Amino acid sequence: MTVRPASISRRLTLLLTGGVVLLWLLGAAFSVLVMHEEIDEVFDSALEETAQWLLPLATGALEGKATPPGLLGEQDDDDEYLTFQLRGRDGAVLLRSHDAPEAPYTGSLVLGFSESRHHRVYTIASGSYFLQVAEPLGHRQEALMESAGALLLPLAGLVPISILLILWSVRGGLAPMRRLQGAIGARDGGNLQPIAETDWPEEIGGTVQAVNRLLLRLRSALEAERVFAATSAHELRTPVATALAQTQRLLAELEAGLTPDQAQTRGRRIEATLHRLGALVEKLLHLSRAEAGIGLSETENDLLPVLRLVIEELAAQPGTARRLSLAIADGASLRARMDIDAFSIVVRNLIENALAYGDPDTPVEIVVPDDRSVRVLNACPPVPPEILARLTQRFVRGGQIRNGTDGSGLGLAIVETILQQTGGTLELFSPVPGQSDGFEARVTFSAI
Protein backbone atom coordinates (compact mmCIF):
# COMPACT_ATOMS: atom_id res chain seq x y z
CA MET A 1 0.00 0.00 0.00
CA THR A 2 1.42 3.34 -1.06
CA VAL A 3 1.59 5.88 1.75
CA ARG A 4 0.41 9.30 0.65
CA PRO A 5 3.14 11.87 1.30
CA ALA A 6 2.41 14.60 3.81
CA SER A 7 1.23 17.89 2.32
CA ILE A 8 2.27 21.20 3.85
CA SER A 9 -0.70 22.94 2.18
CA ARG A 10 -3.18 20.44 3.55
CA ARG A 11 -1.65 20.50 7.01
CA LEU A 12 -1.56 24.31 7.18
CA THR A 13 -5.12 24.53 5.91
CA LEU A 14 -6.37 22.12 8.57
CA LEU A 15 -4.38 23.80 11.33
CA LEU A 16 -5.44 27.33 10.39
CA THR A 17 -9.08 26.36 9.86
CA GLY A 18 -9.11 24.50 13.16
CA GLY A 19 -7.53 27.52 14.83
CA VAL A 20 -10.13 29.89 13.38
CA VAL A 21 -13.01 27.61 14.45
CA LEU A 22 -11.51 27.16 17.91
CA LEU A 23 -11.07 30.91 18.37
CA TRP A 24 -14.62 31.51 17.15
CA LEU A 25 -15.96 28.92 19.60
CA LEU A 26 -13.96 30.41 22.46
CA GLY A 27 -15.18 33.88 21.53
CA ALA A 28 -18.77 32.65 21.30
CA ALA A 29 -18.50 30.89 24.67
CA PHE A 30 -17.13 34.05 26.29
CA SER A 31 -19.90 36.11 24.64
CA VAL A 32 -22.57 33.68 25.90
CA LEU A 33 -21.22 34.00 29.44
CA VAL A 34 -21.30 37.78 29.19
CA MET A 35 -24.80 37.72 27.66
CA HIS A 36 -26.00 35.41 30.42
CA GLU A 37 -24.94 37.96 33.00
CA GLU A 38 -26.42 40.86 31.04
CA ILE A 39 -29.72 39.06 30.37
CA ASP A 40 -30.10 38.29 34.07
CA GLU A 41 -29.44 41.91 34.95
CA VAL A 42 -31.88 43.26 32.36
CA PHE A 43 -34.66 40.82 33.25
CA ASP A 44 -34.16 41.29 36.99
CA SER A 45 -34.38 45.04 36.46
CA ALA A 46 -37.60 44.55 34.49
CA LEU A 47 -39.03 42.42 37.31
CA GLU A 48 -38.18 45.05 39.89
CA GLU A 49 -39.57 47.96 37.88
CA THR A 50 -42.75 46.06 37.01
CA ALA A 51 -43.30 45.20 40.67
CA GLN A 52 -42.89 48.82 41.71
CA TRP A 53 -45.35 49.93 39.01
CA LEU A 54 -47.94 47.22 39.73
CA LEU A 55 -47.98 47.41 43.52
CA PRO A 56 -50.10 50.58 43.87
CA LEU A 57 -52.36 49.46 41.02
CA ALA A 58 -52.91 46.01 42.46
CA THR A 59 -53.63 47.27 45.99
CA GLY A 60 -55.93 49.94 44.55
CA ALA A 61 -57.82 47.36 42.50
CA LEU A 62 -58.21 45.16 45.56
CA GLU A 63 -59.66 48.07 47.53
CA GLY A 64 -61.85 49.10 44.57
CA LYS A 65 -59.89 52.23 43.79
CA ALA A 66 -58.39 51.14 40.39
CA THR A 67 -58.67 48.42 37.79
CA PRO A 68 -55.28 47.77 36.19
CA PRO A 69 -55.02 45.76 32.98
CA GLY A 70 -53.99 42.15 33.26
CA LEU A 71 -55.96 41.40 36.42
CA LEU A 72 -58.62 38.79 36.84
CA GLY A 73 -60.95 38.62 33.89
CA GLU A 74 -61.05 37.59 30.28
CA GLN A 75 -57.74 37.99 28.44
CA ASP A 76 -56.27 36.80 25.19
CA ASP A 77 -54.70 33.39 24.89
CA ASP A 78 -51.09 34.57 24.50
CA ASP A 79 -48.78 33.56 27.30
CA GLU A 80 -47.31 36.43 29.26
CA TYR A 81 -43.66 36.52 30.22
CA LEU A 82 -44.39 38.43 33.44
CA THR A 83 -47.13 37.45 35.85
CA PHE A 84 -47.97 38.61 39.37
CA GLN A 85 -49.71 37.64 42.56
CA LEU A 86 -50.91 39.98 45.31
CA ARG A 87 -50.78 38.18 48.63
CA GLY A 88 -51.70 38.98 52.20
CA ARG A 89 -49.56 38.56 55.28
CA ASP A 90 -50.88 35.04 55.73
CA GLY A 91 -49.60 34.16 52.21
CA ALA A 92 -53.01 33.80 50.61
CA VAL A 93 -53.29 34.90 46.98
CA LEU A 94 -55.64 37.90 46.94
CA LEU A 95 -55.20 38.94 43.34
CA ARG A 96 -53.31 37.55 40.33
CA SER A 97 -52.83 38.05 36.62
CA HIS A 98 -54.76 35.71 34.35
CA ASP A 99 -51.64 33.62 33.47
CA ALA A 100 -50.44 33.43 37.06
CA PRO A 101 -50.93 30.08 38.84
CA GLU A 102 -53.51 29.78 41.57
CA ALA A 103 -50.92 28.36 43.96
CA PRO A 104 -48.45 30.84 45.47
CA TYR A 105 -45.09 31.21 43.70
CA THR A 106 -43.12 30.62 46.89
CA GLY A 107 -43.95 29.11 50.22
CA SER A 108 -42.61 32.04 52.20
CA LEU A 109 -42.72 35.76 51.62
CA VAL A 110 -39.12 36.97 51.37
CA LEU A 111 -38.48 40.44 50.05
CA GLY A 112 -36.25 40.74 47.00
CA PHE A 113 -35.31 38.11 44.44
CA SER A 114 -35.87 34.40 44.87
CA GLU A 115 -36.43 31.39 42.66
CA SER A 116 -39.05 28.69 42.65
CA ARG A 117 -38.96 25.53 40.63
CA HIS A 118 -40.15 27.24 37.45
CA HIS A 119 -39.97 31.02 38.11
CA ARG A 120 -37.69 33.84 38.97
CA VAL A 121 -39.63 35.88 41.56
CA TYR A 122 -39.31 39.45 42.91
CA THR A 123 -41.24 40.30 46.08
CA ILE A 124 -42.15 43.80 47.25
CA ALA A 125 -44.40 44.85 50.22
CA SER A 126 -46.76 47.73 51.01
CA GLY A 127 -48.53 47.71 54.33
CA SER A 128 -50.13 44.31 54.77
CA TYR A 129 -49.85 43.38 51.10
CA PHE A 130 -47.06 41.55 49.27
CA LEU A 131 -46.72 41.73 45.51
CA GLN A 132 -44.73 38.98 43.71
CA VAL A 133 -43.83 39.43 40.05
CA ALA A 134 -42.55 36.27 38.38
CA GLU A 135 -40.89 35.34 35.10
CA PRO A 136 -40.56 31.77 33.76
CA LEU A 137 -36.97 30.48 33.95
CA GLY A 138 -37.41 28.96 30.50
CA HIS A 139 -37.82 32.45 29.05
CA ARG A 140 -34.30 33.40 30.01
CA GLN A 141 -32.90 30.10 28.80
CA GLU A 142 -34.70 30.56 25.49
CA ALA A 143 -33.24 34.06 25.06
CA LEU A 144 -29.76 32.80 25.90
CA MET A 145 -29.99 29.87 23.48
CA GLU A 146 -31.22 32.09 20.66
CA SER A 147 -28.32 34.48 21.25
CA ALA A 148 -25.82 31.60 21.30
CA GLY A 149 -27.33 30.19 18.12
CA ALA A 150 -26.94 33.57 16.44
CA LEU A 151 -23.22 33.45 17.28
CA LEU A 152 -22.64 29.82 16.27
CA LEU A 153 -24.81 29.73 13.15
CA PRO A 154 -22.26 31.64 10.99
CA LEU A 155 -19.79 28.78 11.56
CA ALA A 156 -21.76 26.66 9.10
CA GLY A 157 -20.79 29.05 6.32
CA LEU A 158 -17.54 30.27 7.86
CA VAL A 159 -15.79 26.88 7.93
CA PRO A 160 -16.00 26.03 4.19
CA ILE A 161 -15.25 29.64 3.21
CA SER A 162 -12.26 29.67 5.58
CA ILE A 163 -10.99 26.39 4.12
CA LEU A 164 -11.13 27.78 0.59
CA LEU A 165 -9.52 31.13 1.50
CA ILE A 166 -6.79 29.54 3.64
CA LEU A 167 -6.04 26.88 1.01
CA TRP A 168 -5.81 29.56 -1.67
CA SER A 169 -3.55 31.71 0.52
CA VAL A 170 -1.31 28.80 1.55
CA ARG A 171 -0.88 27.57 -2.01
CA GLY A 172 -0.06 31.08 -3.14
CA GLY A 173 2.43 31.47 -0.30
CA LEU A 174 4.09 28.12 -1.10
CA ALA A 175 4.38 28.87 -4.82
CA PRO A 176 8.01 30.08 -4.42
CA MET A 177 8.88 26.75 -2.80
CA ARG A 178 7.48 24.90 -5.79
CA ARG A 179 9.52 27.16 -8.07
CA LEU A 180 12.61 26.41 -6.00
CA GLN A 181 11.85 22.69 -6.15
CA GLY A 182 11.66 22.90 -9.94
CA ALA A 183 14.90 24.87 -10.12
CA ILE A 184 16.71 22.30 -7.96
CA GLY A 185 15.20 19.42 -9.92
CA ALA A 186 16.60 20.88 -13.14
CA ARG A 187 20.15 20.55 -11.76
CA ASP A 188 22.12 17.39 -12.44
CA GLY A 189 25.64 16.31 -13.25
CA GLY A 190 25.51 18.28 -16.48
CA ASN A 191 23.93 21.42 -15.02
CA LEU A 192 25.29 22.65 -11.72
CA GLN A 193 24.83 26.35 -12.40
CA PRO A 194 23.77 28.39 -9.34
CA ILE A 195 20.12 29.39 -8.94
CA ALA A 196 19.41 33.08 -9.49
CA GLU A 197 19.20 34.69 -6.04
CA THR A 198 16.85 37.51 -7.08
CA ASP A 199 13.05 37.68 -6.72
CA TRP A 200 12.86 35.21 -3.84
CA PRO A 201 10.96 35.82 -0.56
CA GLU A 202 13.07 36.55 2.47
CA GLU A 203 12.23 33.17 4.04
CA ILE A 204 13.53 31.27 0.98
CA GLY A 205 16.49 33.51 0.13
CA GLY A 206 18.68 31.79 2.72
CA THR A 207 17.74 28.37 1.35
CA VAL A 208 18.63 29.47 -2.19
CA GLN A 209 22.03 30.70 -0.98
CA ALA A 210 22.65 27.44 0.88
CA VAL A 211 21.70 25.42 -2.22
CA ASN A 212 24.03 27.52 -4.35
CA ARG A 213 26.89 26.94 -1.91
CA LEU A 214 26.16 23.22 -2.04
CA LEU A 215 26.09 23.30 -5.86
CA LEU A 216 29.40 25.15 -5.86
CA ARG A 217 30.99 22.57 -3.56
CA LEU A 218 29.52 19.76 -5.60
CA ARG A 219 30.76 21.27 -8.84
CA SER A 220 34.21 21.77 -7.33
CA ALA A 221 34.22 18.20 -6.01
CA LEU A 222 33.18 16.76 -9.37
CA GLU A 223 35.76 18.85 -11.17
CA ALA A 224 38.42 17.83 -8.68
CA GLU A 225 37.37 14.21 -9.10
CA ARG A 226 37.69 14.44 -12.88
CA VAL A 227 41.11 16.09 -12.60
CA PHE A 228 42.20 13.60 -9.96
CA ALA A 229 41.06 10.62 -12.01
CA ALA A 230 42.80 11.88 -15.15
CA THR A 231 45.99 12.94 -13.41
CA SER A 232 46.28 9.90 -11.14
CA ALA A 233 45.78 7.61 -14.15
CA HIS A 234 48.64 9.42 -15.87
CA GLU A 235 50.82 9.33 -12.77
CA LEU A 236 50.23 5.61 -12.27
CA ARG A 237 50.73 4.79 -15.91
CA THR A 238 54.34 6.02 -15.92
CA PRO A 239 55.77 3.85 -13.09
CA VAL A 240 53.73 0.84 -14.20
CA ALA A 241 55.04 1.20 -17.76
CA THR A 242 58.58 1.70 -16.44
CA ALA A 243 58.42 -1.40 -14.25
CA LEU A 244 56.97 -3.43 -17.12
CA ALA A 245 59.67 -2.23 -19.52
CA GLN A 246 62.42 -2.97 -17.01
CA THR A 247 61.01 -6.47 -16.41
CA GLN A 248 60.73 -7.19 -20.12
CA ARG A 249 64.26 -5.95 -20.68
CA LEU A 250 65.50 -8.07 -17.77
CA LEU A 251 63.91 -11.17 -19.29
CA ALA A 252 65.37 -10.42 -22.70
CA GLU A 253 68.83 -9.84 -21.25
CA LEU A 254 68.62 -13.05 -19.19
CA GLU A 255 67.89 -14.96 -22.37
CA ALA A 256 70.91 -13.27 -23.97
CA GLY A 257 73.21 -14.33 -21.16
CA LEU A 258 73.01 -11.41 -18.74
CA THR A 259 75.64 -11.58 -15.98
CA PRO A 260 74.49 -11.80 -12.31
CA ASP A 261 75.77 -8.27 -11.58
CA GLN A 262 73.85 -6.85 -14.51
CA ALA A 263 70.71 -8.77 -13.49
CA GLN A 264 71.03 -7.48 -9.93
CA THR A 265 71.31 -3.89 -11.19
CA ARG A 266 68.28 -4.33 -13.39
CA GLY A 267 66.32 -5.90 -10.50
CA ARG A 268 67.14 -2.99 -8.23
CA ARG A 269 65.80 -0.58 -10.84
CA ILE A 270 62.60 -2.57 -10.98
CA GLU A 271 62.45 -2.57 -7.17
CA ALA A 272 62.92 1.22 -7.05
CA THR A 273 60.18 1.70 -9.62
CA LEU A 274 57.82 -0.52 -7.66
CA HIS A 275 58.68 1.35 -4.46
CA ARG A 276 57.78 4.58 -6.20
CA LEU A 277 54.54 3.03 -7.44
CA GLY A 278 53.71 1.81 -3.93
CA ALA A 279 54.41 5.25 -2.46
CA LEU A 280 52.15 6.87 -5.05
CA VAL A 281 49.36 4.38 -4.33
CA GLU A 282 49.76 5.08 -0.60
CA LYS A 283 49.46 8.83 -1.24
CA LEU A 284 46.35 8.28 -3.33
CA LEU A 285 44.84 6.23 -0.51
CA HIS A 286 45.69 9.00 1.97
CA LEU A 287 44.03 11.55 -0.32
CA SER A 288 40.96 9.35 -0.65
CA ARG A 289 40.67 9.05 3.15
CA ALA A 290 41.19 12.80 3.54
CA GLU A 291 38.41 13.57 1.08
CA ALA A 292 36.12 11.13 2.94
CA GLY A 293 36.12 13.56 5.87
CA ILE A 294 38.16 11.75 8.53
CA GLY A 295 39.71 14.91 9.98
CA LEU A 296 37.36 16.20 12.66
CA SER A 297 36.90 14.35 15.95
CA GLU A 298 33.96 14.75 18.34
CA THR A 299 36.34 14.84 21.31
CA GLU A 300 39.61 16.55 22.08
CA ASN A 301 42.67 14.30 21.62
CA ASP A 302 46.25 14.50 22.86
CA LEU A 303 48.32 14.46 19.66
CA LEU A 304 51.84 14.49 21.09
CA PRO A 305 52.04 10.67 21.50
CA VAL A 306 50.94 10.31 17.88
CA LEU A 307 53.65 12.72 16.74
CA ARG A 308 56.33 10.79 18.65
CA LEU A 309 55.09 7.46 17.24
CA VAL A 310 55.20 8.74 13.63
CA ILE A 311 58.74 10.05 14.14
CA GLU A 312 59.83 6.70 15.61
CA GLU A 313 58.39 4.84 12.60
CA LEU A 314 60.11 7.13 10.11
CA ALA A 315 63.37 7.03 12.07
CA ALA A 316 63.37 3.23 11.71
CA GLN A 317 63.82 3.58 7.96
CA PRO A 318 67.41 3.29 6.66
CA GLY A 319 69.33 6.58 6.71
CA THR A 320 66.51 8.56 8.35
CA ALA A 321 67.10 8.38 12.11
CA ARG A 322 69.98 10.90 12.12
CA ARG A 323 67.97 13.36 10.04
CA LEU A 324 65.05 13.84 12.44
CA SER A 325 65.06 16.33 15.34
CA LEU A 326 62.09 16.82 17.68
CA ALA A 327 61.81 19.87 19.96
CA ILE A 328 58.79 20.37 22.26
CA ALA A 329 58.34 23.56 24.26
CA ASP A 330 57.91 23.21 28.03
CA GLY A 331 54.27 22.69 28.93
CA ALA A 332 53.10 22.22 25.33
CA SER A 333 50.32 19.60 25.18
CA LEU A 334 49.19 19.73 21.54
CA ARG A 335 45.52 18.93 22.13
CA ALA A 336 42.93 19.43 19.39
CA ARG A 337 39.60 18.12 18.08
CA MET A 338 41.32 16.12 15.37
CA ASP A 339 41.15 12.43 14.53
CA ILE A 340 44.32 10.58 15.54
CA ASP A 341 44.69 8.78 12.20
CA ALA A 342 44.13 12.06 10.34
CA PHE A 343 46.83 13.77 12.41
CA SER A 344 49.27 10.94 11.74
CA ILE A 345 48.65 11.34 7.99
CA VAL A 346 49.27 15.10 8.29
CA VAL A 347 52.60 14.91 10.13
CA ARG A 348 53.79 11.89 8.13
CA ASN A 349 53.28 13.74 4.86
CA LEU A 350 54.95 16.90 6.16
CA ILE A 351 57.97 15.01 7.47
CA GLU A 352 58.27 12.80 4.38
CA ASN A 353 58.07 15.93 2.22
CA ALA A 354 60.86 17.56 4.26
CA LEU A 355 63.01 14.41 4.06
CA ALA A 356 62.49 14.11 0.32
CA TYR A 357 63.21 17.72 -0.63
CA GLY A 358 65.52 18.78 2.20
CA ASP A 359 69.29 18.76 2.32
CA PRO A 360 70.28 15.18 3.32
CA ASP A 361 73.19 16.53 5.37
CA THR A 362 70.93 18.82 7.46
CA PRO A 363 68.40 17.52 10.02
CA VAL A 364 64.68 17.97 9.54
CA GLU A 365 63.40 19.89 12.56
CA ILE A 366 59.96 19.12 14.03
CA VAL A 367 59.08 21.83 16.53
CA VAL A 368 56.05 22.06 18.84
CA PRO A 369 56.26 25.66 20.12
CA ASP A 370 52.86 25.76 21.87
CA ASP A 371 49.57 23.92 22.34
CA ARG A 372 48.19 24.81 18.92
CA SER A 373 50.88 24.42 16.27
CA VAL A 374 53.54 22.16 14.76
CA ARG A 375 56.43 23.39 12.60
CA VAL A 376 58.42 21.20 10.18
CA LEU A 377 61.59 22.80 8.80
CA ASN A 378 64.19 21.57 6.32
CA ALA A 379 67.17 23.09 4.58
CA CYS A 380 66.86 23.68 0.85
CA PRO A 381 67.21 26.48 -1.70
CA PRO A 382 64.36 29.01 -1.52
CA VAL A 383 61.23 27.98 -3.41
CA PRO A 384 60.09 30.64 -5.92
CA PRO A 385 56.94 32.49 -4.70
CA GLU A 386 54.87 31.50 -7.75
CA ILE A 387 55.56 27.81 -7.04
CA LEU A 388 55.16 28.21 -3.26
CA ALA A 389 51.63 29.54 -3.77
CA ARG A 390 50.65 26.41 -5.73
CA LEU A 391 52.25 23.70 -3.60
CA THR A 392 48.96 22.69 -1.93
CA GLN A 393 47.44 21.83 -5.29
CA ARG A 394 47.45 18.20 -6.39
CA PHE A 395 50.41 16.89 -8.34
CA VAL A 396 52.29 20.18 -8.00
CA ARG A 397 55.94 19.65 -7.04
CA GLY A 398 58.42 22.13 -5.68
CA GLY A 399 61.43 20.62 -7.42
CA GLN A 400 63.53 17.49 -7.69
CA ILE A 401 63.90 15.11 -4.79
CA ARG A 402 67.42 14.80 -3.56
CA ASN A 403 67.74 11.19 -4.76
CA GLY A 404 66.97 12.30 -8.31
CA THR A 405 63.39 11.02 -8.57
CA ASP A 406 60.15 12.96 -8.62
CA GLY A 407 57.69 13.11 -5.75
CA SER A 408 53.97 12.47 -6.11
CA GLY A 409 52.95 16.09 -5.56
CA LEU A 410 50.14 14.99 -3.22
CA GLY A 411 51.55 15.33 0.31
CA LEU A 412 50.73 19.00 0.94
CA ALA A 413 47.37 18.68 -0.85
CA ILE A 414 46.45 15.88 1.58
CA VAL A 415 47.50 18.00 4.57
CA GLU A 416 45.49 21.00 3.30
CA THR A 417 42.37 18.87 2.76
CA ILE A 418 42.43 17.42 6.29
CA LEU A 419 43.10 20.77 7.97
CA GLN A 420 40.20 22.40 6.14
CA GLN A 421 37.89 19.81 7.73
CA THR A 422 39.15 20.57 11.25
CA GLY A 423 39.30 24.35 10.97
CA GLY A 424 43.10 24.32 11.05
CA THR A 425 45.49 26.12 8.72
CA LEU A 426 48.62 25.20 6.77
CA GLU A 427 51.17 27.95 6.14
CA LEU A 428 54.21 27.53 3.89
CA PHE A 429 57.32 29.69 4.13
CA SER A 430 60.40 29.72 1.92
CA PRO A 431 62.87 30.89 2.92
CA VAL A 432 62.27 30.15 6.61
CA PRO A 433 61.42 33.38 8.48
CA GLY A 434 64.67 34.94 9.70
CA GLN A 435 66.84 32.89 7.29
CA SER A 436 68.00 33.20 3.72
CA ASP A 437 66.98 29.71 2.64
CA GLY A 438 65.06 26.65 3.78
CA PHE A 439 61.43 25.62 3.82
CA GLU A 440 58.89 25.62 6.66
CA ALA A 441 55.44 24.02 6.84
CA ARG A 442 53.50 25.34 9.83
CA VAL A 443 50.26 23.69 11.00
CA THR A 444 47.97 25.62 13.36
CA PHE A 445 44.97 23.96 15.01
CA SER A 446 41.75 25.81 15.73
CA ALA A 447 40.92 26.71 19.33
CA ILE A 448 38.30 24.50 20.98
Side-chain angles (χ1 to χ4, degrees), residues 19 25 32 57 59 79 96 153-154 206 217 237 255 275 296 321 325 347 377 379-380 410 441:
L25 292 175
V32 168
L57 296 177
T59 56
D79 292 337
R96 64 184 178 86
L153 184 61
R217 291 196 296 269
R237 187 184 300 115
E255 293 177 356
H275 273 304
L296 190 62
S325 171
V347 293
L377 306 94
C380 66
L410 291 174

Side-chain angles (χ1 to χ4, degrees), residues 4 63 76 106 115 150 205 241 246 255 301-302 327 389 393 423 441 444:
R4 185 179 182 183
E63 297 173 354
D76 55 32
T106 59
E115 287 188 4
Q246 293 281 0
E255 293 177 356
N301 294 315
D302 185 3
Q393 299 178 13
T444 305

Side-chain angles (χ1 to χ4, degrees), residues 36-117:
H36 185 271
E37 297 293 332
E38 295 298 325
I39 288 174
D40 284 345
E41 290 182 6
V42 171
F43 285 3
D44 284 349
S45 177
L47 282 175
E48 186 176 357
E49 291 180 4
T50 302
Q52 292 174 353
W53 180 78
L54 283 176
L55 180 60
L57 296 177
T59 56
L62 186 63
E63 297 173 354
K65 298 178 180 179
T67 305
L71 298 181
L72 287 173
E74 292 295 332
Q75 300 291 336
D76 55 32
D77 294 332
D78 295 335
D79 292 337
E80 295 180 351
Y81 289 125
L82 298 180
T83 58
F84 73 91
Q85 292 177 345
L86 184 65
R87 301 171 62 182
R89 286 188 177 277
D90 58 357
V93 177
L94 304 177
L95 190 67
R96 64 184 178 86
S97 61
H98 78 282
D99 274 349
E102 296 181 1
Y105 291 126
T106 59
S108 60
L109 295 172
V110 180
L111 297 179
F113 290 100
S114 61
E115 287 188 4
S116 65
R117 184 176 180 182

